[in-house]
Amino acid sequence: MAKKKEKETKEEKETKITDLPGVGPAVATKLEDAGYFDLMSIAVASPAELGDASGLSEASARKVIQAARKMMNLGFEDASEYLKKREEIFKLSTGSKNFNALIGGGIETKAITELFGAFGSGKTQIAHALAVNVQLPREKGGASGKAVYIDTEGTFRPERIKQFAEGIGADPSKILKNILVARAFNSDHQMLLLEKIPEMIKNGEPIKLLVIDSLTAHFRAEFTGRGQLADRQQKLNRYIHQLSKLSDQYNLAVLVTNQVMANPAMMFGDPTTAIGGHIVGHASTFRVYLRRGKKDSRVAKLIDSPNLPDNETVFFITTNGIADEES
Ligand code: GTP
Ligand code: MG
């Protein structure tokens, strides 16, 4: 009986958007290109949005949305089930209590956390610190896990990892062994590397953190012309969707970095910032804007969180970690 149920849920997950009445392969491709990959994303869309993305009339789009809602059985769930799902989530410590508090206790699993900010704002430093801290036991803000670090800019520094390892009183050579690093040479390679992760986890690697530093650099470099913006966005949508699925399926914390101009107002013109709106399903998103503060401090500001206030906090990058105080 339990087996049958398991099978059913598995099949449910594999329902494709072409199973919706009125969504043939051509419409499906348009929808996927706009970031609608699954029933959930369609079920929560508005008819106007979906119409724009698919070329369907608003009335037809409304029918598609209604069908998606029916198929998904959107509604209430037993609170104990809900609690069970929430209990699986854990939070990784950055090393700074202030920073952790800003994002609700630390970098969450089953979620994507985006660090964005200008050159030198501290994105890579925080990513390094987390690749170390994920190895701590739960009670110390880790997950006794390993990190996968996808480095697109060639800025991963084992020497820095060693310093952070010393900061938590751990053996640097052991810490280094638990960080699986790959250099991604272009956006296709960056996408390909993700495919290896389920295999590694199935082979018993206790991966709990996935870092993509930087998420967007290759995409920006390769799709430069104005006419290529839509292509770039499609590819990024797909990539984010895959990250979201991985984080949810394997209970991973996903940390991505994204460089922006120093003027935060600029980001609203950047299509990469729209991505968050399309991340649906179970994975949620935290977006943290980083900048240099007074003296050697850094400021982190939480942006657009659905359930946390848009606060900001001060932290420091020190020789041995991310901290509340300057060392
Ligand atoms: P881009 O990748 O260029 O967009 O920048 P980023 O946001 O990734 O910046 P990154 O995390 O590389 O931050 C670099 C800054 O971290 C430097 O300017 C230093 O201020 C600080 N930093 C780097 N290494 C050390 C170190 O060993 N000790 C201390 N105290 N600070 C460091
Ligand atoms: Mg960097």
Side-chain angles (χ1 to χ4, degrees):
M1 189 63 203
K3 201 148 200 176
K4 186 162 176 260
K5 187 137 192 248
E6 211 177 274
K7 194 159 169 258
E8 272 168 13
T9 13
K10 199 162 167 246
E11 274 166 10
E12 205 173 274
K13 270 197 183 145
E14 282 163 11
T15 313
K16 297 192 186 69
I17 61 175
T18 43
D19 295 335
L20 290 163
V23 179
V27 172
T29 305
K30 280 191 190 158
L31 286 172
E32 287 182 1
D33 288 348
Y36 298 95
F37 290 92
D38 50 18
L39 294 185
M40 175 62 97
S41 55
I42 292 173
V44 300
S46 76
E49 253 171 32
L50 203 73
D52 276 350
S54 61
L56 293 170
S57 70
E58 212 172 299
S60 308
R62 182 171 288 113
K63 279 190 193 139
V64 170
I65 292 167
Q66 280 163 354
R69 287 184 183 171
K70 241 192 201 151
M71 280 163 82
M72 291 214 46
N73 196 12
L74 282 184
F76 295 99
E77 73 181 321
D78 174 349
S80 66
E81 280 294 306
Y82 184 75
L83 181 66
K84 217 167 84 197
K85 272 190 213 158
R86 287 291 309 170
E87 275 172 354
E88 282 172 21
I89 292 175
F90 53 85
K91 297 170 186 194
L92 301 176
S93 172
T94 57
S96 151
K97 288 197 177 82
N98 290 341
F99 199 121
N100 293 347
L102 178 80
I103 50 177
I107 308 276
E108 273 193 26
T109 58
K110 298 203 175 197
I112 298 177
T113 302
E114 176 189 350
L115 302 177
F116 68 112
F119 160 80
S121 58
K123 304 179 292 292
T124 297
Q125 295 299 312
I126 294 173
H128 277 62
L130 281 154
V132 173
N133 293 350
V134 67
Q135 302 182 40
L136 287 165
R138 287 265 181 124
E139 64 278 10
K140 294 206 167 142
S144 305
K146 294 191 179 186
V148 166
Y149 200 110
I150 298 183
D151 178 16
T152 74
E153 301 188 295
T155 53
F156 178 79
R157 292 287 175 275
E159 302 79 12
R160 217 37 205 130
I161 295 291
K162 276 187 173 177
Q163 290 178 319
F164 287 170
E166 280 156 14
I168 60 165
D171 175 354
S173 56
K174 278 192 188 146
I175 294 285
L176 281 166
K177 274 206 174 350
N178 290 330
I179 304 174
L180 310 163
V181 188
R183 177 83 199 271
F185 293 101
N186 56 46
S187 67
D188 286 323
H189 187 203
Q190 188 179 331
M191 295 181 98
L192 205 65
L193 284 168
L194 282 195
E195 290 174 16
K196 306 229 183 268
I197 292 168
E199 205 179 297
M200 289 157 84
I201 293 174
K202 277 171 199 149
N203 288 339
E205 294 284 17
I207 297 165
K208 289 291 155 203
L209 171 72
L210 169 58
V211 171
I212 320 284
D213 183 23
S214 128
L215 173 71
T216 44
H218 281 316
F219 290 91
R220 282 196 171 147
E222 292 164 28
F223 298 83
T224 45
R226 260 210 109 36
Q228 286 183 303
L229 276 186
D231 286 345
R232 174 173 102 185
Q233 194 59 25
Q234 278 168 24
K235 249 188 146 178
L236 260 171
N237 280 344
R238 266 177 208 279
Y239 192 67
I240 300 241
H241 180 70
Q242 278 167 10
L243 289 175
S244 166
K245 251 174 49 183
L246 280 176
S247 78
D248 203 37
Q249 265 172 7
Y250 300 107
N251 199 19
L252 302 183
V254 174
L255 183 71
V256 304
T257 70
N258 190 4
Q259 201 191 63
V260 294
M261 303 289 160
N263 175 3
M266 284 294 289
M267 76 192 189
F268 297 111
D270 187 312
T272 56
T273 58
I275 285 165
H278 288 311
I279 300 179
V280 284
H282 303 295
S284 50
T285 313
F286 297 86
R287 307 192 65 225
V288 184
Y289 179 66
L290 302 177
R291 64 182 156 84
R292 285 176 184 271
K294 278 185 201 138
K295 297 202 177 145
D296 281 331
S297 73
R298 312 282 151 151
V299 181
K301 183 179 188 357
L302 186 69
I303 314 268
D304 298 337
S305 168
N307 48 16
L308 292 168
D310 279 8
N311 280 338
E312 56 174 47
T313 194
V314 172
F315 68 98
F316 291 87
I317 299 168
T318 73
T319 313
N320 292 116
I322 305 301
D324 289 334
E325 312 274 341
E326 200 169 2
S327 60

